[in-house]
Amino acid sequence: MTATTADRSIDEYITRWTASAGAERVNFQLFASQLCRLLGVAEPAPAVEDASLNDYTFERAGRFKEADGSTSPGRIDLYKRRAFVLEAKQSREKRRPKELALAGQPDLFVPDTQPRGQRSASRAWDQLMISARRQAEDYAKALPESHGWPPFVLVCDVGHCIEVYADFTGQGKNYAQFPDRQGFRIFLTELRDEMVRDRLRRIWEEPATLDPARQSAKVTREIAGRLAAVSKGLEKRGENAEDVALFLMRCLFTMFAEDVKLLPEGCFTSWLDRAKTNADKFQHELAQLWQAMDKGGFATIAETKVKQFNGHFFASAQVLKLQREEIGELHAAAKYNWKEVDPAIFGTLLEQALDDKERAKLGAHYTPRAYVERLVVVTVLEPLRQEWAQVQATAERFKIEADALELEAKEAGFKGQRKVATDKASEAKGKRTEAIGVIRGFHSRLCHTRVLDPACGTGNF
């Protein structure tokens, strides 16, 4: 297929389905089959009577647990083993351009006339998608134990968008917006972007390749090798193991701070490149940067005033003397895109950079991410999510009551009952205020939540 032909096929698909209307059951399977052709992936197979053999099919049958412990029959709209569970809906609201959606963070309670796709806790479309996501996760929970938890949960508004949630741990307890809160919602018009199509293609065929931990692991190995070279050189010259560890950690943090723009973009990497040819100035100039980061002030390397980094991490600005080749290793490490690196790998990097004797001296062993999530999800995230679900339900109840009161106020107004209409409108306003108060109360509690990790190390927890 030529580029022109492919573009034409994409445009035809977008035009056809953006204009679609009708029931989900009527349109979804055709919509999904044509999407598979567009992506160049295999289409779902026909379902067979033995549900255990239906690894990639529409309407996969299963039994789903109810709140009271009982089970009921149900069907997954589209399922692919070890890839995803997809729940489809089709709203009948007027299509709006993607540019109007996700433009910002509006008020929590807004009129339903706003474009579908904007974020708001009260709107019917948002509620439809939230409910569909919960249903998809329930379906994932009901899969046979041998299938495990799929890495992706997809929610599709037929003809409009696909929402993507991922949990690569295999525990099914931490499905989160993927790749992030700005990009998890894929609108049909975005299918013109080859990177978006590739992401969907990999969700279908190679979901594990999208696991950020894989990229982190690759970067970890490569950077750790460079740090090991620096560490061994310093060790041979008789430097104290703890001093080496702290020095390397400060270098890593500075690289990360640069890439997330806590420091001027590229300033540290460019300086390391220059420092390779003038190693004599290395210690003095880097120490001055770290002193500025500790207090907040002008940094020669950055050629501007830098932010203050609290926590006393840079209170000691000890910089070890490096040879030209070792500065080159740091420069090579700094050139990686640290925005794509999980900060939790700092401990792993350091542990791999130090030899066994140095690690034993420092106690430098760090809890793996999987172990961290096993504890944190259960003790922190799940309780907060349960509370948030209860808050949402309460706020929604207040909103429904407000809607009913407003309707009664309108009816009283039509009948000329002005006082009744005024009282009902006032009561409705109070209900909306209560709904907003419930949400803001949870937000306030969340902002003041404190979590203690006594052995924080490099902050994996």
Side-chain angles (χ1 to χ4, degrees):
M1 184 183 292
T2 66
T4 304
T5 304
D7 291 343
R8 187 161 54 245
S9 298
I10 294 168
D11 288 339
E12 289 172 355
Y13 180 83
I14 292 171
T15 300
R16 177 178 188 183
W17 288 106
T18 300
S20 71
E24 160 207 339
R25 299 295 175 190
V26 174
N27 283 323
F28 170 63
Q29 293 191 12
L30 181 59
F31 170 84
S33 295
Q34 291 183 352
L35 177 62
C36 289
R37 288 175 221 156
L38 197 68
L39 298 175
V41 301
E43 295 180 40
V48 296
E49 188 174 350
D50 184 354
S52 65
L53 302 177
N54 291 327
D55 288 349
Y56 181 31
T57 187
F58 293 114
E59 299 290 318
R60 189 189 194 280
R63 295 200 66 83
F64 306 100
K65 294 180 181 179
E66 303 294 345
D68 61 3
S70 62
T71 61
S72 61
R75 292 183 180 275
I76 302 173
D77 288 333
L78 177 58
Y79 170 65
K80 187 169 188 185
R81 187 173 180 176
R82 297 191 179 90
F84 61 81
V85 162
L86 188 152
E87 176 65 15
K89 299 295 177 187
Q90 184 164 34
S91 61
R92 294 180 175 83
E93 298 180 35
K94 183 178 179 181
R95 306 292 171 182
R96 300 294 184 97
K98 180 239 176 181
E99 290 74 24
L100 293 177
L102 298 177
Q105 185 84 19
D107 289 339
L108 288 166
F109 293 87
V110 293
D112 283 346
T113 55
Q114 285 211 357
R116 184 175 45 152
Q118 280 193 345
R119 301 176 187 275
S120 61
S122 69
R123 298 181 60 256
W125 186 81
D126 285 329
Q127 288 299 322
L128 176 78
M129 300 300 279
I130 290 169
S131 297
R133 175 189 173 180
R134 289 173 182 162
Q135 191 172 353
E137 291 188 16
D138 287 343
Y139 286 171
K141 186 187 300 184
L143 290 168
E145 188 173 337
S146 59
H147 285 220
W149 287 87
F152 286 97
V153 163
L154 308 179
V155 180
C156 175
D157 179 4
V158 177
H160 182 53
C161 72
I162 298 174
E163 292 184 350
V164 182
Y165 301 90
D167 179 359
F168 294 98
T169 67
Q171 299 180 49
K173 295 181 178 180
N174 197 28
Y175 284 106
Q177 295 166 344
F178 182 88
D180 51 46
R181 69 182 295 273
Q182 296 299 326
F184 82 103
R185 189 173 284 162
I186 300 174
F187 293 86
L188 246 61
T189 53
E190 292 180 288
L191 291 174
R192 294 188 177 97
D193 186 336
E194 172 57 31
M195 291 181 65
V196 171
R197 296 198 303 276
D198 180 64
R199 189 191 316 156
L200 284 171
R201 193 178 295 120
R202 290 163 70 187
I203 289 173
W204 249 258
E205 295 190 328
E206 300 175 297
T209 63
L210 292 170
D211 184 355
R214 284 200 168 195
Q215 177 64 17
S216 295
K218 178 175 180 292
V219 171
T220 299
R221 288 192 298 271
E222 293 174 359
I223 297 179
R226 297 187 181 281
L227 293 180
V230 178
S231 176
K232 288 174 182 176
L234 290 169
E235 179 189 354
K236 286 181 181 178
R237 296 197 293 275
E239 296 288 356
N240 176 271
E242 185 173 0
D243 291 340
V244 172
L246 290 173
F247 168 68
L248 290 176
M249 190 63 68
R250 291 190 186 101
C251 288
L252 290 175
F253 188 93
T254 307
M255 295 173 192
F256 182 78
E258 173 189 54
D259 276 11
V260 298
K261 299 184 180 178
L262 292 174
L263 290 174
E265 188 173 2
C267 70
F268 187 57
T269 303
S270 299
W271 173 77
L272 283 170
D273 191 29
R274 296 193 302 272
K276 288 186 295 186
T277 60
N278 196 347
D280 291 339
K281 291 185 178 181
F282 177 83
Q283 284 180 286
H284 172 74
E285 292 183 350
L286 184 52
Q288 197 277 324
L289 171 65
W290 287 350
Q291 288 165 3
M293 291 171 70
D294 181 53
K295 304 294 184 183
F298 185 85
T300 305
I301 288 174
E303 298 182 344
T304 187
K305 183 178 179 179
V306 298
K307 300 176 185 292
Q308 179 188 12
F309 292 74
N310 61 11
H312 305 289
F313 188 50
F314 293 100
S316 171
Q318 181 185 16
V319 178
L320 304 182
K321 185 175 182 178
L322 297 185
Q323 297 175 354
R324 178 178 176 177
E325 295 78 10
E326 293 164 345
I327 298 173
E329 294 289 3
L330 290 182
H331 177 242
K335 289 195 294 184
Y336 284 89
N337 184 357
W338 284 80
K339 287 185 292 187
E340 297 178 354
V341 177
D342 189 333
I345 72 169
F346 286 166
T348 307
L349 289 171
L350 181 57
E351 185 171 332
Q352 292 185 31
L354 301 175
D355 66 22
D356 292 338
K357 291 182 179 179
E358 290 172 331
R359 287 204 302 270
K361 290 178 186 177
L362 298 175
H365 296 276
Y366 299 93
T367 312
R369 184 184 181 92
Y371 294 177
V372 171
E373 289 185 343
R374 190 179 301 172
L375 292 172
V376 172
V377 169
V378 174
T379 59
V380 180
L381 295 181
E382 282 188 353
L384 286 174
R385 285 182 179 139
Q386 289 173 3
E387 185 181 353
W388 172 232
Q390 292 171 354
V391 166
Q392 285 179 299
T394 302
E396 183 65 16
R397 177 170 56 81
F398 282 135
K399 181 194 176 288
I400 291 171
E401 292 174 0
D403 290 343
L405 287 165
E406 286 179 350
L407 183 60
E408 291 177 21
K410 288 181 181 178
E411 291 175 350
F414 289 144
K415 295 176 182 178
Q417 300 171 341
R418 290 188 177 182
K419 186 177 185 310
V420 174
T422 300
D423 290 345
K424 292 291 184 182
S426 177
E427 195 175 346
K429 184 178 180 180
K431 291 292 183 182
R432 292 192 184 280
T433 300
E434 287 185 81
I436 293 172
V438 169
I439 298 289
R440 286 179 175 164
F442 174 79
H443 182 242
S444 177
R445 291 194 299 278
L446 192 63
C447 289
H448 291 89
T449 297
R450 296 290 181 267
V451 179
L452 173 65
D453 172 19
C456 61
T458 54
N460 283 18
F461 275 91

